[in-house]
Amino acid sequence: MAKREYSFYPGCSSQSKASGANYQKSVDSMCEELDIQLNEIPDWNCCAASIGYAGGGELPRLSLSARNIALSQQANGQQDIVATCAACWLATRETKERIEESSKVRSGIDAALGEIGVKVEGEMPKVRHMVEVLIEDIGYETLKSGVKKPLDGIKIAGYVGCQTNRPFGIDGESHENPMYLDKMVEAMGGEALSGYEKKASCCGGALIFSEPQKSQALIKDIIESAYDHGADMIVTPCPVCQMNVEVYQPDINKTYGTKFEMPVVYYSQLISVAYGRNGKDAALDGQVIRAKKLEDKAG
């Protein structure tokens, strides 16, 4: 498989001891198997996905992502910018489109970034989520061809969440019934629960901190539906979704008298295991709720 190179925006949650550190580790393993080279943007900063909406204004929020775009151009030219975090992808892609569509936004960002000596130059590179790379540049059939340990016997609910689905979405996918995670699961030899009706529902996002009862009610429905369809685990492309749906299960059990213990993993962990990597490479040791059936496959 020919090496592919991308300008990589890791995002805050990917960092050591952060909530998505295991995501990053499994992505690294997956990319090694797929011969993908991720060229990290030097000195990248937070995309302001959450705090940017708290009253700071549009220009400061967009300028943070614009700085990342400018630094990517400096270091990696016109390589596509790839993010693994759904929120980082969304914020960066929104910024690119706002700059392209509004001369007022572009001039404001030029002025803001000019204060620190950087500039977004001319035509900006594409901004893509890692799942877009897997689907569009590699393809399901090629992904399937690398499987060494098929995930047969594992029933998996594909939980897409909101941010890779709206407002932009993955090209060719339904906003209401996206199928790309189902197709990835099937390519890895697992059983995709395509009738899982909560795949595009919101987990509450940052609402889990300000109004936890409301967010927990949303999460409860997401997990309950997975159980109703016989899922062994949930798979997601979003670190916020993964964290919310996994780590708050004890609180939900206490509130609702449920007995949830549903593993929530990333697509990159499925691919790493199916490609023959061990549980440590796939970062299964970073799960709060152990994905035992996936661990057994990993050996």
Side-chain angles (χ1 to χ4, degrees):
M1 190 181 295
K3 182 181 284 294
R4 295 175 171 86
E5 293 190 41
Y6 303 91
S7 183
F8 182 48
Y9 176 40
C12 302
S13 66
S14 73
Q15 300 306 285
S16 176
K17 299 183 181 179
S19 61
N22 60 329
Y23 185 15
Q24 183 62 54
K25 187 172 182 180
S26 65
V27 165
D28 290 341
S29 295
M30 177 188 75
C31 287
E32 287 174 9
E33 294 296 322
L34 294 171
D35 207 11
I36 292 172
Q37 181 172 316
L38 299 177
N39 301 315
E40 185 170 328
I41 299 171
D43 196 33
W44 58 266
N45 54 257
C46 173
C47 70
S50 296
I51 60 171
Y53 294 95
E58 179 184 58
L59 183 59
R61 175 174 65 83
L62 295 177
S63 294
L64 284 170
S65 287
R67 179 179 181 272
N68 289 330
I69 294 172
L71 294 177
S72 178
Q73 288 180 311
Q74 285 181 7
N76 301 321
Q78 288 300 105
Q79 287 181 359
D80 292 356
I81 299 172
V82 173
T84 49
C85 170
C88 292
W89 168 73
L90 189 64
T92 310
R93 182 165 168 178
E94 179 198 359
T95 297
K96 177 181 182 291
E97 295 200 2
R98 293 284 289 118
I99 292 171
E100 290 173 336
E101 293 169 358
S102 171
S103 58
K104 182 178 179 181
V105 169
R106 180 179 276 275
S107 62
I109 284 175
D110 284 346
L113 297 187
E115 293 294 318
I116 55 172
V118 297
K119 185 178 181 180
V120 173
E121 301 285 355
E123 183 179 351
M124 289 169 282
K126 290 182 179 179
V127 179
R128 305 171 73 193
H129 192 285
M130 178 59 77
V131 296
E132 292 182 285
V133 170
L134 297 178
I135 295 166
E136 296 169 4
D137 295 3
I138 297 174
Y140 298 113
E141 287 303 313
T142 301
L143 286 173
K144 183 177 180 179
S145 69
V147 172
K148 298 170 185 169
K149 294 181 179 178
L151 306 183
D152 53 289
I154 305 180
K155 297 179 180 180
I156 304 171
Y159 175 50
V160 172
C162 301
Q163 291 185 314
T164 62
N165 208 41
R166 300 181 186 89
F168 302 115
I170 302 299
D171 190 41
E173 288 286 351
S174 161
H175 289 299
E176 301 305 322
N177 187 29
M179 298 298 293
Y180 70 84
L181 285 181
D182 294 351
K183 293 175 184 175
M184 283 187 190
V185 167
E186 290 170 349
M188 296 303 109
E191 181 179 343
L193 303 175
S194 56
Y196 174 59
E197 70 275 4
K198 290 295 180 180
K199 62 173 62 175
S201 298
C202 179
C203 70
L207 193 69
I208 194 70
F209 303 117
S210 58
E211 297 188 64
Q213 295 86 353
K214 291 182 180 179
S215 189
Q216 285 180 24
L218 295 171
I219 296 166
K220 175 180 174 291
D221 290 345
I222 291 163
I223 300 167
E224 204 159 50
S225 177
Y227 273 113
D228 288 346
H229 285 82
D232 296 309
M233 64 189 68
I234 292 170
V235 63
T236 186
C238 173
V240 173
C241 293
Q242 194 282 333
M243 180 185 72
N244 278 1
V245 179
E246 182 189 44
V247 305
Y248 291 102
Q249 289 186 41
D251 298 306
I252 292 168
N253 289 339
K254 185 176 179 180
T255 300
Y256 291 97
T258 49
K259 296 181 180 180
F260 294 158
E261 196 174 359
M262 176 65 70
V264 186
V265 302
Y266 295 106
Y267 63 90
S268 49
Q269 293 178 296
L270 297 182
I271 294 173
S272 293
V273 171
Y275 273 47
R277 302 300 286 257
N278 61 39
K280 188 172 182 179
D281 288 347
L284 295 178
D285 54 348
Q287 299 301 122
V288 173
I289 298 173
R290 289 177 59 187
K292 294 177 183 177
K293 287 198 173 185
L294 203 54
E295 288 179 5
D296 290 344
K297 289 289 181 183

